[in-house]
């Protein structure tokens, strides 16, 4: 069972570079989300999607773009990387069938911006 | 906006003993869901236990149980018979029931150490 797959697992960027963090799930989940995890701050929501073609901002959306062209994929784009975006990024998905259903997390992407 | 607070940055317990991790939250909603997630050094986020606010009975999952006090907005996690594999960061999380509000609000985490 693949579940939620994130690529890459590690990435180092220079300030100003752009990149896309990939997230794919094979559970046919409607809901997908991106979080960032910083020391001492828990996980914070960046963007989320309730279905293909529908996205919305979370708590810390600035500097990030998302799109949801398919149910399976939810990429996160950094347009111009900044050192403040150094973090561990998690993608999560959940089914809309029953709002008590837990979110399934990927293994995370550790991103360093120099 | 909802907030979740974990006031214990670090906790330690002897193997086989019981430990309780604290979590409080702030919300104006009457119905919601609460979760405890475990994050071992592998960085995976693993669901430990969940509680629906409308249920008065405290959730239990094997050695893990919660003490849910709705009026006090408290949701503590009790780990019985602690094992070395329980060592991890533990996060408390809140989830709104409203359609589209598919987001978790996390606490800051508690690092649990198990002493052999």
């Amino acid at each position: 069972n693949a579940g939620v797959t994130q690529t890459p697992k590690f990435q180092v960027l220079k300030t100003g570079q752009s990149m896309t963090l990939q997230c794919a799930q094979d559970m046919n989940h409607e809901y997908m989300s991106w979080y960032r995890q910083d020391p001492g701050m828990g996980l914070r929501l960046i963007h989320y999607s309730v279905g293909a073609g529908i996205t919305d901002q979370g708590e810390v959306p600035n500097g990030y773009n998302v799109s949801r062209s398919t149910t399976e994929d939810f990429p996160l784009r950094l347009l111009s990387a900044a050192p403040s975006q150094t973090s561990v990024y998690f993608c999560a998905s959940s089914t809309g069938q029953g709002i008590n259903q837990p979110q399934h997390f990927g293994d995370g992407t550790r991103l360093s911006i120099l | 906006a909802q907030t979740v607070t974990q006031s214990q940055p670090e906790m330690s317990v002897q193997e086989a003993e019981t430990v309780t991790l604290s979590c409080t939250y702030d919300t104006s909603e009457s119905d919601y869901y609460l979760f405890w997630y475990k994050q071992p050094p592998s960085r995976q986020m693993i669901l430990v236990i969940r509680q629906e606010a409308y249920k008065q009975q405290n959730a239990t999952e094997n050695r893990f149980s919660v003490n849910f006090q709705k009026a006090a907005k408290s949701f503590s996690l009790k780990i019985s018979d602690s094992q070395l594999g329980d060592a991890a960061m533990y996060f408390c999380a809140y989830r709104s029931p409203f359609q589209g509000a598919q987001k978790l609000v996390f606490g800051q985490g508690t690092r649990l150490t198990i002493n052999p």
Side-chain angles (χ1 to χ4, degrees), chain B residues 51-100:
Chain B
Q51 174 81 41
E52 291 91 338
Y54 64 87
K55 289 187 177 179
Q56 293 186 344
Q57 186 174 6
N58 289 324
T60 62
E61 287 288 342
N62 300 315
R63 297 183 295 108
F64 298 88
S65 61
V66 299
N67 183 7
F68 173 50
Q69 302 290 330
K70 190 173 183 180
K73 297 181 181 175
S74 171
F75 182 59
S76 60
L77 175 68
K78 186 172 81 171
I79 306 174
S80 304
D81 185 25
S82 299
Q83 300 176 0
L84 295 178
D86 295 333
M89 283 289 290
Y90 285 81
F91 292 96
C92 178
Y94 173 102
R95 183 172 179 176
S96 172
F98 295 107
Q99 192 77 2

Side-chain angles (χ1 to χ4, degrees), chain B residues 10-23:
Chain B
E10 297 183 353
M11 292 281 287
S12 63
V13 64
Q14 292 296 124
E15 191 176 4
E17 293 189 345
T18 296
V19 63
T20 298
L21 308 184
S22 300
C23 173

Side-chain angles (χ1 to χ4, degrees), chain A residues 31 37 48 100-102 108, chain B residues 39 43 50 95 99-100 104:
Chain A
Y31 300 120
Q37 182 179 23
Y48 67 98
N100 65 336
Q101 294 303 310
Chain B
Q39 187 180 42
R43 218 168 59 196
R50 57 183 160 178
R95 183 172 179 176
Q99 192 77 2
L104 291 170

Side-chain angles (χ1 to χ4, degrees), chain A residues 7 20 50:
Chain A
T7 55
T20 299
V50 300

Side-chain angles (χ1 to χ4, degrees), chain A residues 41-43 105, chain B residues 3-8 21-26 32-39 45-49 51 66-68 73-77 89-95 104-110:
Chain A
M41 300 187 73
L43 281 73
F105 285 85
Chain B
T3 59
V4 177
T5 302
Q6 293 177 249
S7 59
Q8 306 155 314
L21 308 184
S22 300
C23 173
T24 59
Y25 57 94
D26 187 26
Y32 45 86
Y33 298 87
L34 298 166
F35 302 86
W36 277 98
Y37 279 88
K38 169 186 177 182
Q39 187 180 42
M45 292 291 288
I46 302 167
L47 178 68
V48 175
I49 199 166
Q51 174 81 41
V66 299
N67 183 7
F68 173 50
K73 297 181 181 175
S74 171
F75 182 59
S76 60
L77 175 68
M89 283 289 290
Y90 285 81
F91 292 96
C92 178
Y94 173 102
R95 183 172 179 176
L104 291 170
V105 178
F106 285 88
Q108 304 92 325
T110 297

Side-chain angles (χ1 to χ4, degrees), chain A residues 15-35:
Chain A
T15 297
Q17 286 185 315
S18 62
M19 80 159 295
T20 299
L21 307 185
Q22 301 291 345
C23 175
Q25 53 90 9
D26 61 357
M27 298 172 282
N28 202 32
H29 283 171
E30 296 92 331
Y31 300 120
M32 297 187 74
S33 311
W34 275 103
Y35 295 85

